[in-house]
């Protein structure tokens, strides 16, 4: 049976259509006001901030790298290229000793959703390896970094109604990211294709790229990012909870004494009103979200060193330390990545089913996470819950929009199964055997659905393998070159 055409968006319901129009009209009025205020093209960017550079390029050098910053305008809604625009920022990096070489470009698609591209001074091990063969383009996906931001401050212009903000955020999924990348590619090198490296959600976006615009790619590298092509969010989280429990067992096997500490913290939070540095209460269920770190080699052990700072002797007995509370806040707050929370379930949405707070509903099937009195605490992983939009100050203003996104049913398709089955772009993918974030079996099923896709299944790395070890990308390049 032919699959829906991802290039054509599903018709909006009357409610969503009204919201869509409100979002566009709101953005259009902002653009018009900005254009009247200044002839500078950057002034027409929605919610543009003083720190955003105007369209053009800026170059500088540091640490043996030559960096060139690019900012271009892209349509908010690619179906209406003449409508409101937003800014898209990308930083091109080349090794200083290869600055004058005719190197092909590789665009990095960041994990997330809602994560800005890595910065050259703090990039993973993959970057130095990539720079041996490529000019690397670090694109801040729409809504992040130096691209036009989407957060509680910029979305406040939509007022208290939820429909317009939700319609606006509906333009921040992989299909729009891919179309942005295509405009950037044409801006940088005309019709010539480039290569892509997609990590985690960036890998999801790479599959969308292969569905929407395979002519723009010479080859694709994917690390920890082969999504289910047809599964619902419920399928994703049902598998994710089981893997997260397994990672809990690994953690407590390594640090058995931490079970007592974690239980003590949970008990203390249940009995006391404990406030974090920002003033909001730390609840047991929010404390449990610290398990997000179990999925990467860089942060697997972080909880242990945080828990050892948990308690001090206060005037009225044991209290949680400021050091501990500050460390918890740094992990559980979505202040730096609100789009991750708002779009985490919509990135799986296709067809006529709403996500309907999938992680929250499916959690009921796993009572080990209930934190019942007397039961050992188990930490959750890559899940987002509706109550976080009540407890996290960075998310509270987005609650209504998140509810509308969870209820939306008219999401367009993200993948073209027929086009993927006929794929002609060389694709190689690292599949991490024990990946906590991306299910191995779902990933391998997707690999089978993409013509010519070659996988490397390894248990030597966690989800952040490409950042932790340059050998991951080195192997993928060798596979694509036919050396392995």
């Amino acid at each position: 049976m032919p699959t829906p055409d991802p290039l054509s968006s599903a018709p909006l319901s009357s409610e969503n259509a009204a919201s869509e129009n409100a979002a566009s009209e709101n953005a259009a009025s902002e653009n018009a006001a900005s254009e009247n205020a200044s002839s500078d093209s950057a002034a027409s960017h929605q919610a543009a901030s003083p720190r955003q550079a105007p369209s053009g390029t800026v170059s500088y050098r540091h640490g043996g790298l030559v960096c060139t910053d690019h900012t271009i305008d892209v349509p908010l809604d690619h179906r209406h290229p003449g409508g409101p625009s937003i800014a898209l920022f990308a930083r091109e990096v080349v090794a200083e000793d290869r600055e004058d070489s005719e190197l092909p470009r590789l665009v990095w698609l960041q994990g997330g959703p809602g994560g800005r591209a890595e910065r050259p001074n703090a990039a993973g091990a993959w970057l130095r390896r990539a720079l041996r063969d490529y000019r690397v383009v670090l694109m801040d996906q729409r809504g992040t970094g130096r691209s036009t931001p989407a957060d509680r401050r910029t979305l406040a212009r939509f007022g208290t109604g939820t429909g317009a903000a939700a319609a606006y955020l509906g333009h921040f999924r992989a299909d729009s990211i891919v179309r942005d990348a295509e405009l950037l590619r044409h801006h940088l090198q005309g019709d010539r294709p480039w290569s892509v490296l997609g990590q985690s959600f960036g890998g999801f976006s790479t599959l969308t790229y292969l569905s929407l615009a395979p002519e723009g790619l010479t080859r694709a590298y994917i690390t920890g990012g082969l999504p289910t092509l047809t599964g619902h969010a419920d399928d994703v989280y049902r598998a994710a909870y089981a893997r997260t429990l397994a990672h809990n067992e690994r953690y407590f096997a390594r640090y058995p004494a931490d079970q007592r500490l974690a239980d003590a913290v949970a008990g203390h939070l249940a009995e006391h009103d404990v406030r974090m540095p920002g003033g909001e209460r730390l609840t047991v269920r929010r404390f449990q979200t610290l398990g997000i770190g179990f999925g990467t080699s860089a942060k697997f052990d972080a909880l242990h060193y945080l828990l050892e700072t948990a308690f001090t002797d206060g005037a009225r007995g044991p209290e949680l330390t400021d050091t501990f509370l500050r460390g918890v806040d740094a992990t559980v707050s979505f202040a730096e990545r609100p789009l991750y929370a708002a779009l985490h379930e919509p990135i799986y949405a296709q067809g006529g089913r709403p996500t309907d707070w999938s992680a929250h509903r499916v959690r009921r099937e796993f009572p080990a996470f209930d934190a019942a009195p007397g039961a050992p605490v188990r930490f959750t992983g890559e899940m987002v819950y509706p109550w976080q939009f009540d407890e996290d100050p960075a998310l509270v203003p987005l609650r209504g929009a998140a509810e509308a996104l969870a209820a939306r049913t008219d999401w367009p398709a993200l993948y073209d199964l027929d086009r993927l089955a006929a794929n002609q772009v060389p694709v190689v993918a690292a599949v991490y055997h024990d990946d906590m974030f991306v299910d191995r079996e779902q990933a391998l099923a997707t690999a089978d659905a993409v013509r010519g896709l070659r996988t490397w299944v390894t248990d030597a790395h966690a989800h952040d393998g490409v950042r932790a070890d340059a050998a991951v990308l080195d192997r993928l390049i060798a596979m694509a070159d036919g050396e392995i």
Side-chain angles (χ1 to χ4, degrees):
M1 172 179 274
T3 57
D5 182 3
L7 289 168
S8 62
S9 298
L12 293 169
S13 66
S14 58
E15 181 179 356
N16 280 342
S19 301
E20 185 89 3
N21 291 336
S24 296
E25 289 170 7
N26 191 312
S29 64
E30 282 203 6
N31 282 353
S34 298
E35 288 166 1
N36 291 335
S38 170
S39 60
D40 190 333
S41 63
S44 66
H45 297 160
Q46 289 186 357
S49 64
R51 64 185 174 82
Q52 288 175 337
S55 299
T57 59
V58 178
S59 296
Y60 48 93
R61 300 168 185 269
H62 76 84
L65 305 177
V66 180
C67 301
T68 304
D69 294 352
H70 303 274
T71 305
I72 65 172
D73 293 333
V74 298
L76 168 65
D77 183 349
H78 284 275
R79 298 171 303 176
H80 305 293
S85 65
I86 57 177
L88 181 73
F89 172 81
R91 177 175 286 113
E92 185 174 356
V93 183
V94 64
E96 197 167 35
D97 60 358
R98 306 211 65 187
E99 180 182 7
D100 297 323
S101 301
E102 291 293 326
L103 296 173
R105 285 187 174 93
L106 171 77
V107 62
W108 163 260
L109 294 183
Q110 179 76 26
R116 71 177 192 175
E118 295 187 10
R119 273 25 189 177
N121 67 322
W126 69 270
L127 180 60
R128 293 288 177 174
R129 172 60 189 88
L131 289 172
R132 286 161 45 187
D133 297 325
Y134 294 101
R135 294 176 180 270
V136 175
V137 179
L138 302 168
M139 185 181 79
D140 280 351
Q141 295 168 17
R142 53 172 50 205
T144 75
R146 288 178 57 187
S147 295
T148 298
D151 55 32
R152 64 186 176 94
R153 300 185 190 281
T154 62
L155 295 175
R157 69 183 183 276
F158 293 116
T160 56
T162 63
Y168 181 82
L169 291 175
H171 296 302
F172 286 73
R173 299 200 308 158
D175 46 358
S176 295
I177 291 168
V178 166
R179 292 181 173 107
D180 289 347
E182 278 294 273
L183 290 179
L184 179 63
R185 177 177 69 87
H186 283 284
H187 173 78
L188 294 177
Q189 59 186 54
D191 291 335
R192 287 178 295 141
W194 59 9
S195 295
V196 60
L197 170 56
Q199 157 65 13
S200 192
F201 170 70
F204 297 13
S205 300
T206 300
L207 269 293
T208 302
Y209 213 141
L210 292 166
S211 296
L212 298 184
E215 69 279 1
L217 299 176
T218 53
R219 61 171 58 173
Y221 308 103
I222 297 172
T223 55
L226 290 177
T228 174
L229 298 176
T230 58
H232 185 262
D234 288 8
D235 304 313
V236 173
Y237 291 109
R238 190 166 287 114
Y241 275 119
R243 296 193 309 276
T244 303
L245 278 176
H247 277 70
N248 271 267
E249 300 312 312
R250 286 182 55 217
Y251 175 84
F252 286 113
R254 180 175 294 184
Y255 302 111
D258 284 5
Q259 185 67 73
R260 179 184 58 81
L261 268 174
D263 294 346
V265 171
H268 186 85
L269 293 174
E271 296 175 2
H272 299 83
D273 184 346
V274 177
R275 299 284 161 165
M276 290 197 292
E280 75 266 31
R281 182 174 182 177
L282 176 59
T283 59
V284 175
R285 59 190 180 183
R286 201 165 176 206
F287 167 62
Q288 287 179 274
T289 65
L290 288 171
I292 188 74
F294 291 168
T296 65
S297 60
K299 296 181 179 179
F300 182 85
D301 302 291
L303 180 60
H304 171 70
Y305 296 106
L306 183 60
L307 284 172
E308 69 181 12
T309 71
F311 286 102
T312 190
D313 293 326
R316 300 176 182 175
E319 294 183 16
L320 294 174
T321 69
D322 288 340
T323 298
F324 175 76
L325 293 173
R326 179 66 188 92
V328 171
D329 181 62
T331 300
V332 304
S333 171
F334 283 100
E336 295 184 6
R337 50 199 176 106
L339 282 183
Y340 178 96
L343 296 178
H344 200 267
E345 292 192 1
I347 66 173
Y348 299 108
Q350 301 183 91
R353 290 181 64 188
T355 56
D356 191 24
W357 297 112
S358 176
H360 185 66
R361 290 184 294 98
V362 173
R363 178 172 172 165
R364 299 175 191 136
E365 301 173 19
F366 296 86
F369 293 106
D370 287 349
V377 168
R378 286 297 176 264
F379 292 92
T380 55
E382 194 174 37
M383 298 89 183
V384 174
Y385 303 104
W387 52 260
Q388 288 174 295
F389 290 82
D390 296 323
E391 297 185 10
D392 187 334
L395 298 183
V396 169
L398 307 184
R399 174 65 191 251
E403 289 282 4
L405 290 171
R408 180 172 171 176
T409 59
D410 59 352
W411 294 104
L414 293 170
Y415 312 110
D416 185 329
L417 302 189
D418 292 336
R419 182 168 273 185
L420 292 174
N423 172 62
Q424 295 184 10
V425 178
V427 187
V428 290
V431 176
Y432 303 125
H433 187 275
D434 299 315
D435 196 328
M436 191 176 89
F437 298 140
V438 178
D439 186 71
R440 179 181 72 252
E441 296 307 318
Q442 292 176 2
L444 293 177
T446 292
D448 288 341
V450 181
R451 181 177 178 271
L453 191 156
R454 298 181 59 206
T455 59
W456 167 44
V457 181
T458 175
D459 62 0
H461 301 282
H463 186 70
D464 59 342
V466 74
R467 291 192 180 98
D469 190 348
V472 172
L473 180 56
D474 192 60
R475 182 183 178 100
L476 293 181
I477 291 174
M479 289 172 63
D481 287 341
E483 297 174 3
I484 297 179

